[in-house]
Amino acid sequence: MTMVDPKKSVTDALAAVLGRNLPASEPEAPIWSDARFVRDMIHQLQQEQSFLGRASCLFTGPSDQWMKTRLQYLMPSDEPEAKPTVNKAEAYSDEYTLLELHRSDVAALARFSQRVDHATFYLFGAIDTAAVHVPRKVGVTLRRSSKGWYGELAERCFARWKETRHLLVHEWSLPEKAEPLYRTAFWSLCELTPADNQLKQLFEQDRTRASRELVRHVDAYVDQLALAANLSEELARENKPSAEKVQALRTIQENLLTKAGERLTLTGAAKQLNISRQAMHKRIKSGAALGLMIGETLVVPAIQLIQSEAGSTVVPHLKDVLLLFGEAGSWSALQYLVEPDPALGGAVPIDLLKGGNVQTVIAAARAFLGLDEG
């Protein structure tokens, strides 16, 4: 095992451990200024796990924190892998994997937006550090993908890229103290393109040319995102229900609410139950009470409440029934509760539930939903 003298410079210490013949460097010179060396080093570190612990301790200065973090990330853990204790949405939130399963176009836009936002802040930091005045780009005209919500979301992302793009193509002298900030922004955007490595190599040779090439490649990626957003919006318009279908659905909902008696607001229902508005909302969200959306208004059917001298309460065991309708939805639950069910001899389920026939109503609800089939 090669012994490392901690008094040596970072580059010399790594050279001693790796057995590499590298030119001597000043201790304050950042080791990652040689991009090829860094890539080779990381590759070898991945192959030489025994070296990771020794190499990590070599980076002690503030400017070495990035490399130290990278080395610690590569180090294998001696502890057994713990079983996940979070749901899939939490586990995949950072990588957009769950979003990718449902909407690959939205996931791609989310990645793009994150990279551009990251780069924009670092570019601003570089320009501010260099005390350079860069005029704002005014009057940027963007393509209109659609007037829909997703189209507007895409437009906002593209607008941010237009501002970042302007910072990249603006010619200004990059002082040494601003270089790490600019480099971080450049690296972040490079990862959006298939020319990641080539652009980083070019950056070491000619920053101005590299920035312009980066803009060209990201512009091409933006065009792809815009095409995907346009297609998504077009499909959404084509699949949008007709006015006749919307009116028919609204008529059905109105009929069901009429059968359900008085329509209470969230505040009104909370007042009857002598609880807070927040507590009432929590009950609806957990399935302990029934609430339905009419447009942007939440309606609470009064039929689920039982009046007594002591005050109002929600029908006992209503939650046991509502939870069966998790996938079918709250409107299907209301339909089942207020309409006569042939499986119950024509009785109305909510009336039997109020009478204490809980298991009978639950069995009929399962049959209504086809949960026991197959």
Side-chain angles (χ1 to χ4, degrees):
M1 179 183 299
T2 304
M3 300 302 293
V4 178
D5 182 356
K7 295 182 179 180
K8 287 189 175 184
S9 69
V10 173
T11 303
D12 292 339
L14 281 171
V17 176
L18 291 172
R20 302 285 295 277
N21 295 321
L22 298 175
S25 62
E26 296 298 327
E28 63 271 15
I31 189 171
W32 50 89
S33 61
D34 184 341
R36 180 174 299 177
F37 168 72
V38 173
R39 288 196 303 273
D40 291 346
M41 184 189 69
I42 291 177
H43 175 73
Q44 186 161 347
L45 294 182
Q46 290 171 326
Q47 305 301 320
E48 260 186 70
Q49 294 180 355
S50 62
F51 168 69
L52 291 174
R54 300 198 305 277
S56 179
C57 69
L58 298 175
F59 299 91
T60 56
S63 63
D64 300 322
Q65 187 58 44
W66 176 86
M67 185 60 76
K68 185 175 182 179
T69 302
R70 177 62 177 157
L71 292 171
Q72 291 173 342
Y73 172 78
L74 293 172
M75 291 178 67
S77 174
D78 296 330
E79 299 181 2
E81 184 177 355
K83 293 183 178 181
T85 57
V86 296
N87 59 40
K88 288 184 178 180
E90 293 172 336
Y92 296 147
S93 59
D94 291 338
E95 294 82 10
Y96 302 105
T97 304
L98 186 60
L99 185 58
E100 182 85 36
L101 294 174
H102 296 274
R103 287 289 298 271
S104 59
D105 57 331
V106 179
L109 186 65
R111 291 190 187 95
F112 172 78
S113 178
Q114 182 191 53
R115 290 291 180 183
V116 171
D117 284 348
H118 181 261
T120 302
F121 287 116
Y122 272 86
L123 282 173
F124 170 78
I127 291 172
D128 183 64
T129 300
V132 175
H133 173 68
V134 180
R136 288 291 303 275
K137 190 73 172 178
V138 181
V140 175
T141 303
L142 298 174
R143 60 173 67 81
R144 283 268 174 192
S145 56
S146 174
K147 293 183 180 179
W149 180 83
Y150 180 56
E152 293 177 358
L153 180 64
E155 264 194 9
R156 288 196 292 271
C157 293
F158 300 153
R160 172 57 67 86
W161 163 241
K162 288 290 185 180
E163 295 178 354
T164 307
R165 185 185 190 280
H166 178 59
L167 297 178
L168 286 168
V169 299
H170 184 78
E171 294 187 7
W172 55 288
S173 177
L174 181 64
E176 184 178 354
K177 60 182 180 180
E179 194 273 345
L181 293 168
Y182 193 97
R183 178 187 293 267
T184 299
F186 189 92
W187 254 237
S188 183
L189 292 171
C190 277
E191 295 179 7
L192 290 171
T193 79
D196 183 6
N197 291 333
Q198 295 91 327
L199 288 168
K200 290 176 181 176
Q201 290 176 13
L202 182 59
F203 183 89
E204 303 300 334
Q205 303 166 12
D206 187 339
R207 178 182 66 84
T208 301
R209 181 186 171 193
S211 297
R212 293 189 178 278
E213 285 292 333
L214 175 63
V215 165
R216 288 179 54 202
H217 282 79
V218 177
D219 278 345
Y221 185 55
V222 169
D223 288 338
Q224 291 181 328
L225 291 176
L227 286 173
N230 288 338
L231 180 58
S232 295
E233 292 294 315
E234 289 174 7
L235 292 175
R237 286 194 297 269
E238 292 173 4
N239 296 329
K240 187 176 181 180
S242 63
E244 293 78 9
K245 290 183 179 180
V246 172
Q247 184 56 45
L249 178 62
R250 182 60 58 86
T251 300
I252 293 173
Q253 292 175 340
E254 287 293 328
N255 290 337
L256 290 175
L257 287 173
T258 299
K259 295 177 181 179
E262 184 182 0
R263 307 177 190 183
L264 301 173
T265 63
L266 188 64
T267 303
K271 187 175 181 180
Q272 287 203 24
L273 293 172
N274 196 28
I275 60 177
S276 68
R277 192 173 183 273
Q278 291 76 12
M280 187 67 217
H281 184 268
K282 186 178 293 185
R283 287 195 184 189
I284 293 173
K285 189 175 181 180
S286 67
L290 183 61
L292 308 110
M293 295 301 298
I294 295 289
E296 298 181 357
T297 303
L298 179 64
V299 175
V300 182
I303 198 172
Q304 64 187 305
L305 304 182
I306 297 178
Q307 311 293 334
S308 66
E309 294 182 358
S312 299
T313 58
V314 177
V315 175
H317 300 287
L318 177 63
K319 184 175 182 177
D320 296 333
V321 178
L322 293 180
L323 290 178
L324 297 175
F325 289 82
E327 292 188 9
S330 55
W331 283 103
S332 293
L334 180 64
Q335 181 183 18
Y336 169 73
L337 288 169
V338 301
E339 292 187 341
D341 188 351
L344 297 174
V348 176
I350 190 69
D351 293 338
L352 291 182
L353 205 57
K354 290 179 178 179
N357 298 307
V358 179
Q359 295 305 319
T360 301
V361 174
I362 289 177
R366 293 184 65 86
F368 177 82
L369 293 168
L371 297 178
D372 297 324
E373 297 177 0

